[in-house]
Amino acid sequence: MNPLCPLCRAHPGAVHARWHGWQVRVCPGCHHGWTHPFDEAARHADAPHSEGYYETRSMTDGVERYRARARGVAAQAQGSRVLDVGCGTGGFLAALGELGWEGIGIERSPDAVRAARAKGLTVQECTLDDARIEQHSFDLVTMLHVLEHLPDPASALERISGALRRGGTLWVEVPNREAWAAGVWPPAQRHVFDLPHHLHHFSASSLQRLLRETGYVGVDVTVSVPPLLLGLVDGAARARRALLSSRRAAPPTSGSGPEMRRPAQASAPGSGARTLNAIRRTLPGWKLTARAVRSR
């Protein structure tokens, strides 16, 4: 039996990838992917992390990375109250707190909750379904690599919508099943799909569809750029700026007046953005980031 797509319910899925008896199936209509057999995978996804899972990771790793991410998110949201769903050990929530946000986390792992509370954070040890959330009380809700683990992401997004104030911001990050590296490099494929723990495998279009169908507006989904290529583009841009600056600062050559000097050519407006967009289309990175707004 080939079950219908859990997002659009209109098409059965074609096998996209296999790993140790598990399959990623993709809908030919909405391009959403899911793990098959789904019900069995959901039991794995629902199982808590093994004891000591978080103790094997340094709780201080990635502090600067969280701070940079928090600055990016805070720049696109307004208000002061944030709910971080699946907050883990609280690194991101703590970084938002440094920026003046009053944060509450939801996390079901006892190990992670202990680590987060040791940072002085307010964290409920429960699932989203069991969380005590005051309606329309948050300006920002974040879900960083959580949605792909949930059996029913639509229900989760609808519940979160009730927690947001009108005009509040939802920020979601999920793996990109269309990542270029996942198609050519097995370790990247295992990282993106993470079978059977990831139940859903989003494309940019399927994530956008899900958010719109659950009542969000202003939906903007961004595909990441592979870090190596991002570094190359950034390095090339810096080199070009340095070259143009040196040309402007250079004195005229002997025997030539100012009228004989050729002005340095400025970068074309938006050229860097066009380069990044071209990379996203041809060599998409492993992460999707979505920003959306509660409308009702």
Side-chain angles (χ1 to χ4, degrees):
M1 178 180 176
N2 194 355
L4 296 178
C5 169
L7 180 59
C8 70
R9 305 288 181 182
H11 303 279
V15 177
H16 178 73
R18 292 183 173 89
W19 187 79
H20 289 205
W22 301 99
Q23 298 177 356
V24 173
R25 296 195 175 187
V26 174
C27 174
C30 70
H31 307 293
H32 184 65
W34 67 94
T35 298
H36 178 79
F38 188 86
D39 291 342
E40 186 177 348
R43 288 192 289 272
H44 283 265
D46 192 51
H49 288 304
S50 59
E51 186 177 356
Y53 174 87
Y54 286 100
E55 277 77 356
T56 63
R57 291 155 171 78
S58 170
M59 300 307 181
T60 59
D61 282 351
V63 170
E64 291 305 319
R65 177 170 53 87
Y66 279 128
R67 286 173 174 163
R69 182 186 278 176
R71 288 193 295 269
V73 173
Q76 300 190 58
Q78 296 180 341
S80 61
R81 297 201 73 213
V82 58
L83 174 66
D84 188 14
V85 180
C87 67
T89 59
F92 180 65
L93 194 57
L96 284 171
E98 292 176 357
L99 299 176
W101 287 82
E102 177 190 351
I104 295 175
I106 296 173
E107 174 57 51
R108 66 177 186 165
S109 164
D111 288 345
V113 170
R114 281 193 294 272
R117 288 174 177 170
K119 295 182 175 78
L121 300 172
T122 300
V123 178
Q124 296 183 29
E125 184 182 331
C126 59
T127 65
L128 177 60
D129 288 339
D130 296 329
R132 301 178 303 279
I133 303 174
E134 184 181 351
Q135 290 290 289
H136 312 314
S137 59
F138 293 96
D139 304 294
L140 171 66
V141 175
T142 57
M143 300 181 76
L144 308 184
H145 297 277
V146 172
L147 207 59
E148 65 270 22
H149 294 271
L150 304 180
D152 190 351
S155 293
L157 291 173
E158 289 168 354
R159 176 155 168 72
I160 287 168
S161 178
L164 279 167
R165 293 175 177 145
R166 184 179 297 274
T169 299
L170 170 67
W171 189 276
V172 173
E173 294 180 7
V174 295
N176 177 20
R177 74 156 187 84
E178 296 178 320
W180 170 77
V184 299
W185 192 37
Q189 185 180 89
R190 289 195 294 271
H191 175 70
V192 169
F193 296 139
D194 194 14
L195 302 175
H197 304 291
H198 291 179
L199 302 178
H200 295 272
H201 309 280
F202 293 94
S203 65
S205 60
S206 72
L207 180 57
Q208 187 173 69
R209 174 176 179 151
L210 176 63
L211 289 167
R212 287 176 173 169
E213 289 184 348
T214 48
Y216 293 88
V217 298
V219 178
D220 181 27
V221 178
T222 303
V223 181
S224 67
V225 175
L228 176 60
L229 295 179
L230 184 61
L232 291 174
V233 171
D234 185 57
R238 287 199 305 270
R240 180 176 176 81
R241 287 194 297 270
L243 177 61
L244 293 176
S245 178
S246 66
R247 285 178 177 175
R248 285 191 292 267
T253 57
S254 177
S256 63
E259 70 280 0
M260 299 296 293
R261 292 180 62 191
R262 183 178 180 181
Q265 184 179 359
S267 298
S271 59
R274 288 197 297 271
T275 300
L276 293 178
N277 287 335
I279 292 173
R280 289 187 179 102
R281 288 192 298 270
T282 56
L283 297 172
W286 72 274
K287 184 175 72 174
L288 299 174
T289 301
R291 179 189 180 277
V293 175
R294 175 186 177 268
S295 63
R296 59 178 187 238

